[in-house]
């Protein structure tokens, strides 16, 4: 078979990418009940639903009332995006970013393995410690490791610089749900870092990246 020759069309399916996006987001808006979320989070919720392929995930989406405005203002001011995985960093659509913002993941930094061993923690958590000089006013997105989210909250409680917003969507069976509750309930002297989560075990890099892309440019369809 010539790889540059299209195969015989045997199935009836939509092949136009823009039409697929148009229909997909139209179906989401028809089927999803967003009434329980503030209007400022509707765009992020729609894109999280799209990444999950499940409108029922809407009931697990929650966020601080000011998270969308805080994240958007930070990105427009040129703040970096700090992520816990390279997959999440790769999922950020650079053309959405309003100030050619840096997207940084420190997981592959050569210092990480030794730190993780010395502290008795995961590499993802150790990598978060390398964010200190970039953390102030940044937008943080965690979509893989609950330990990274717990570690970040512990750092902030110990006096580390505060990010402008945190997207907390680690996935998994151990610590995932608990880490999101910790983020949603954290209290820093009567104040919070604005946050966005998908409660429960579900999450992942795709959902976190989708949320980031929506926060960066809520008016663009995809």
């Amino acid at each position: 078979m010539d790889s540059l020759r299209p195969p015989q069309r045997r199935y009836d399916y939509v092949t136009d990418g823009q039409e697929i996006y148009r229909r997909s987001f139209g179906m989401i808006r028809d089927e999803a009940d967003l009434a329980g979320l503030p209007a400022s989070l509707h765009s992020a919720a729609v894109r999280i639903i799209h990444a999950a392929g499940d409108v029922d995930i809407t009931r697990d989406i929650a966020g601080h009332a000011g998270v969308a405005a805080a994240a958007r203002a930070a990105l427009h001011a040129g703040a970096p995006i700090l992520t816990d995985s390279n997959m999440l960093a790769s999922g950020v659509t650079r053309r959405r970013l309003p100030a050619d913002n840096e997207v940084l993941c420190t997981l592959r930094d050569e210092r990480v393995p030794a730190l993780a061993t010395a502290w008795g923690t995961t590499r993802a958590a150790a990598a978060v410690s390398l964010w200190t000089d970039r953390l102030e006013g940044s937008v943080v997105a965690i979509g893989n490791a609950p330990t990274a989210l717990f570690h970040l909250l512990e750092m902030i409680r110990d006096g580390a610089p505060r990010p402008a917003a945190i997207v907390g969507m680690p996935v998994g069976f151990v610590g995932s749900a608990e880490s999101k509750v910790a983020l949603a309930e954290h209290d820093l002297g009567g104040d919070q870092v604005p946050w966005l989560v998908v409660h429960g075990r579900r999450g992942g890099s795709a959902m976190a990246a989708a949320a980031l892309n929506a926060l960066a440019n809520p008016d663009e369809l995809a």
Side-chain angles (χ1 to χ4, degrees):
M1 175 182 173
D2 184 350
S3 62
L4 298 180
R5 179 182 299 171
Q8 180 182 346
R9 186 69 58 78
R10 293 175 173 83
Y11 306 100
D12 182 17
Y13 59 98
V14 181
T15 58
D16 182 279
Q18 290 303 311
E19 178 66 7
I20 291 170
Y21 272 118
R22 187 190 68 79
R23 290 195 194 182
S24 296
F25 284 98
M27 292 170 70
I28 290 169
R29 293 196 179 277
D30 286 343
E31 297 176 20
D33 181 5
L34 303 177
L37 293 171
S40 62
L41 292 182
H42 284 190
S43 178
V46 166
R47 284 154 181 79
I48 292 168
I49 293 165
H50 183 252
D54 182 6
V55 296
D56 290 336
I57 203 169
T58 309
R59 61 175 175 262
D60 294 326
I61 299 172
H64 183 282
V67 65
R72 210 157 293 142
L75 292 174
H76 277 274
I81 294 171
L82 308 178
T83 75
D84 71 322
S85 74
N86 289 289
M87 182 181 294
L88 200 168
S90 297
V92 177
T93 306
R94 297 319 197 259
R95 63 178 171 80
R96 287 183 179 274
L97 302 179
D100 193 27
N101 308 73
E102 180 184 13
V103 182
L104 178 67
C105 176
T106 53
L107 192 59
R108 293 176 181 165
D109 188 287
E110 62 184 10
R111 296 168 287 179
V112 166
L115 286 175
T117 299
W119 296 345
T121 190
T122 66
R123 293 189 180 191
V128 170
S129 292
L130 303 180
W131 294 352
T132 304
D133 62 346
R134 309 301 304 277
L135 199 53
E136 182 70 37
S138 66
V139 176
V140 171
I142 294 178
N144 183 50
T147 55
L149 183 51
F150 279 126
H151 193 86
L152 174 64
L153 292 172
E154 290 167 341
M155 285 173 57
I156 295 171
R157 286 185 180 278
D158 282 348
R162 291 175 58 165
I166 301 172
V167 175
M169 299 182 185
V171 63
F173 291 87
V174 178
S176 175
E178 294 84 354
S179 69
K180 297 165 194 176
V181 171
L183 174 58
E185 294 183 351
H186 81 278
D187 186 344
L188 305 171
D191 194 11
Q192 286 188 319
V193 177
W195 52 272
L196 176 64
V197 301
V198 172
H199 278 300
R201 295 172 171 177
R202 290 185 290 182
S205 295
M207 289 190 208
L212 275 177
N213 290 335
L215 293 173
N217 191 340
D219 298 322
E220 192 173 337
L221 177 62

